Amino acid sequence: MSDGKSKFKNDIKNKVTVVLGAQWGDEGKGKVVDMLAADANVVCRCQGGNNAGHTVVVGGKEYDFHLLPSGIINSACKSLIGNGVVIHLPGLFEELEKNVKNGLTGWEKRLLISDRAHLVFDFHQQVDGLQELEKGKKSLGTTKKGIGPAYSSKATRNGIRIADLLGDFATFSEKFEGLVAMYQRMFPALEVDVKQELEKYKLYAERVRPLVIETVSFLHSAVHSGNSVLVEGANAAMLDIDFGTYPYVTSSNCSIGGVCTGLGLPPSMIGEVVGVVKAYTTRVGDGPFPTELSDETGDRLQAIGQEVGVTTKRKRRCGWLDIPLLKYTAMVNGYTRLCITKLDILDNFKEIKICIAYKKNGGKMSYFPSSAEELGKVEVEYTTLPGWETSIEDVRKYNDLPKNAKAYIELIEELLQVPVKWIGVGKGRESIITVE
């Protein structure tokens, strides 16, 4: 029976490529996914909901995606929303309609939705707002999209899935009424017209039915058949509920582990892990931010980079690149390649700083702080590099970049010990340099 050789074929030669945000989100993952999707057969979302915001610019047209995988623009590949995503159906169809007006076609044949995905209802969004009000000054600055309450429903095992909606409607109605009643006991101010909502969801059930499949077997079949599968992480590593700056995080695992649990893929199927890094650092909402620039330089970064949230429309806080943070997320995610985005935003800076270490009580820290309180108190050690003070927007080859721009990229590689494969120098899909 055992001669030292297995008769079973467990070696998976075809691996899944994963794209993850390496900071606090808004790194430009959508553009990277759009680029890689040109060679993909399936592009997947594995977690989060319509609290995510990915922008893709193609042919001068700007597409904003919140629930839809960014690869849906590619007419040659399937776009899959996995079981780990929480879906607000009104928001999904509104997003589709908006992008159809902008030129998106043929999505009906390409979009697939997991029957295991949980639903976000309007009352989840109301609860999200009520919870933030209760916290007052201690609010977390959520997107109020109902993501946290929906994941809470999932964790307490009274959530409602797509499969429930498409099953016996009487059973769905009973579950819906029970969930509303539970939240109304918690929040007496919560008003829900149950009859009207159920009538609405009876229509949504038929509208979404043609898109829904059992996605785990579909994905495994796709991988074993030699198809190219690309996974698009939403949010980012520092917003991960376990590894981010808790409690100023999202409600899902947006690091590499969420790919496995959100799609039903084993770790052995994962190949390339692309970490997307903005050439400086931004974050939306509250929470510690060691390299934040609360001065004219921060204002310049915000203005030049047009740093306004796709989902929240809030101005993003801006600061210099943070290497200790990136080393930490690289440790968690195992990046095999990096994409540095928005390098062109630094074109007009005479000097550029990079945080190379955190200090505590005068000594360098050997770990990334687990608590937001400790992170908020670290001392930051910078190294200063000369800027290139010229436009790189039209550069398409690495060797054509200014010497100081290349020095900036090469220092990032050296400090992180991860190769930089792509560099973003503009908004469009053509504005990416591939490092040979």
Side-chain angles (χ1 to χ4, degrees):
M1 181 175 166
S2 177
D3 59 358
K5 295 179 181 179
S6 174
K7 62 180 178 179
F8 303 110
K9 295 180 180 179
N10 292 324
D11 183 28
I12 303 165
K13 292 183 172 61
N14 182 38
K15 302 281 189 175
V16 172
T17 297
V18 178
V19 176
L20 298 173
Q23 294 151 302
W24 275 293
D26 311 308
E27 299 92 353
K29 297 180 291 296
K31 184 167 69 173
V32 179
V33 171
D34 175 58
M35 173 187 70
L36 297 177
D39 299 315
N41 301 112
V42 186
V43 180
C44 311
R45 270 284 303 274
C46 61
Q47 45 70 225
N50 61 339
N51 58 334
H54 297 168
T55 302
V56 177
V57 180
V58 181
K61 289 185 178 179
E62 191 168 292
Y63 297 87
D64 289 340
F65 298 123
H66 301 275
L67 269 168
L68 296 171
S70 299
I72 198 154
I73 297 173
N74 181 0
S75 60
C77 77
K78 301 285 188 183
S79 286
L80 185 147
I81 298 177
N83 58 275
V85 179
V86 289
I87 301 174
H88 182 245
L89 286 178
L92 174 65
F93 287 112
E94 183 182 324
E95 184 178 333
L96 281 163
E97 288 162 9
K98 181 180 176 182
N99 283 292
V100 165
K101 287 178 182 176
N102 211 11
L104 179 66
T105 59
W107 63 268
E108 302 91 340
K109 297 177 182 177
R110 302 198 302 274
L111 182 60
L112 305 172
I113 298 174
S114 172
D115 56 358
R116 289 185 172 90
H118 279 249
L119 289 165
V120 180
F121 296 104
D122 287 354
F123 64 77
H124 279 129
Q125 297 187 339
Q126 292 180 59
V127 167
D128 206 348
L130 290 168
Q131 287 176 330
E132 283 288 274
L133 279 174
E134 278 192 350
K135 290 170 185 170
K137 291 181 179 179
K138 294 182 180 180
S139 69
L140 301 177
T142 78
T143 58
K144 299 183 178 66
K145 296 289 185 181
I147 309 304
Y151 275 118
S152 295
S153 295
K154 178 179 179 177
T156 52
R157 298 183 295 279
N158 57 5
I160 300 176
R161 305 196 295 180
I162 293 279
D164 298 316
L165 176 63
L166 300 188
D168 177 58
F169 198 76
T171 303
F172 168 81
S173 301
E174 187 179 324
K175 289 182 177 181
F176 183 89
E177 290 168 3
L179 190 55
V180 170
M182 184 202 77
Y183 275 118
Q184 286 180 327
R185 287 193 295 272
M186 294 168 63
F187 299 95
L190 181 65
E191 295 182 5
V192 182
D193 188 331
V194 172
K195 183 180 178 182
Q196 187 181 70
E197 287 295 297
L198 289 174
E199 287 174 358
K200 187 168 71 174
Y201 272 87
K202 188 172 283 188
L203 296 175
Y204 278 130
E206 298 316 307
R207 203 172 171 189
V208 78
R209 193 181 298 276
L211 309 173
V212 177
I213 64 166
E214 194 286 299
T215 54
V216 177
S217 56
F218 172 86
L219 272 178
H220 278 253
S221 177
V223 172
H224 286 292
S225 299
N227 287 284
S228 171
V229 176
L230 176 65
V231 180
E232 171 183 14
N235 315 114
M238 291 310 300
L239 296 173
D240 185 279
I241 194 166
D242 282 297
F243 300 109
T245 46
Y246 191 89
Y248 303 97
V249 293
T250 191
S251 301
S252 62
N253 286 109
C254 29
S255 54
I256 196 68
V259 174
C260 298
T261 58
L263 291 169
L265 295 175
S268 57
M269 274 190 178
I270 296 173
E272 293 278 14
V273 181
V274 180
V276 185
V277 178
K278 191 179 287 187
Y280 48 102
T281 310
T282 63
R283 79 172 298 174
V284 172
D286 296 327
F289 186 169
T291 66
E292 182 172 13
L293 294 165
S294 302
D295 57 12
E296 184 187 351
T297 304
D299 292 339
R300 279 184 69 198
L301 280 172
Q302 196 280 325
I304 299 169
Q306 297 177 20
E307 295 295 349
V308 178
V310 175
T311 300
T312 63
K313 305 302 179 189
R314 290 180 291 186
K315 283 187 177 182
R316 297 175 187 138
R317 299 155 63 192
C318 298
W320 295 122
L321 193 67
D322 188 328
I323 293 297
L325 179 152
L326 291 171
K327 282 183 177 179
Y328 169 67
T329 70
M331 193 188 308
V332 171
N333 290 317
Y335 306 132
T336 58
R337 297 284 186 274
L338 296 178
C339 175
I340 308 296
T341 62
K342 301 187 82 165
L343 186 66
D344 55 304
I345 304 305
L346 301 177
D347 282 353
N348 297 312
F349 287 81
K350 187 176 181 180
E351 291 184 338
I352 299 166
K353 292 185 178 183
I354 296 181
C355 164
I356 56 171
Y358 292 163
K359 288 184 174 181
K360 183 179 179 181
N361 300 324
K364 288 186 180 180
M365 298 179 69
S366 60
Y367 63 91
F368 189 86
S370 300
S371 77
E373 183 180 7
E374 186 179 10
L375 182 61
K377 293 178 180 177
V378 299
E379 303 165 48
V380 177
E381 181 181 328
Y382 287 107
T383 189
T384 302
L385 284 76
W388 42 95
E389 298 186 273
T390 187
S391 175
I392 60 172
E393 192 175 357
D394 296 323
V395 175
R396 295 295 176 266
K397 293 182 180 179
Y398 182 72
N399 286 335
D400 292 339
L401 283 172
K403 180 182 70 172
N404 290 348
K406 287 191 285 188
Y408 187 71
I409 294 296
E410 287 160 15
L411 180 58
I412 294 170
E413 279 189 320
E414 181 186 337
L415 291 170
L416 297 181
Q417 291 294 292
V418 183
V420 172
K421 179 67 177 175
W422 301 280
I423 302 166
V425 293
K427 279 189 172 184
R429 71 161 42 154
E430 73 286 350
S431 303
I432 294 182
I433 297 169
T434 300
V435 183
E436 303 297 340

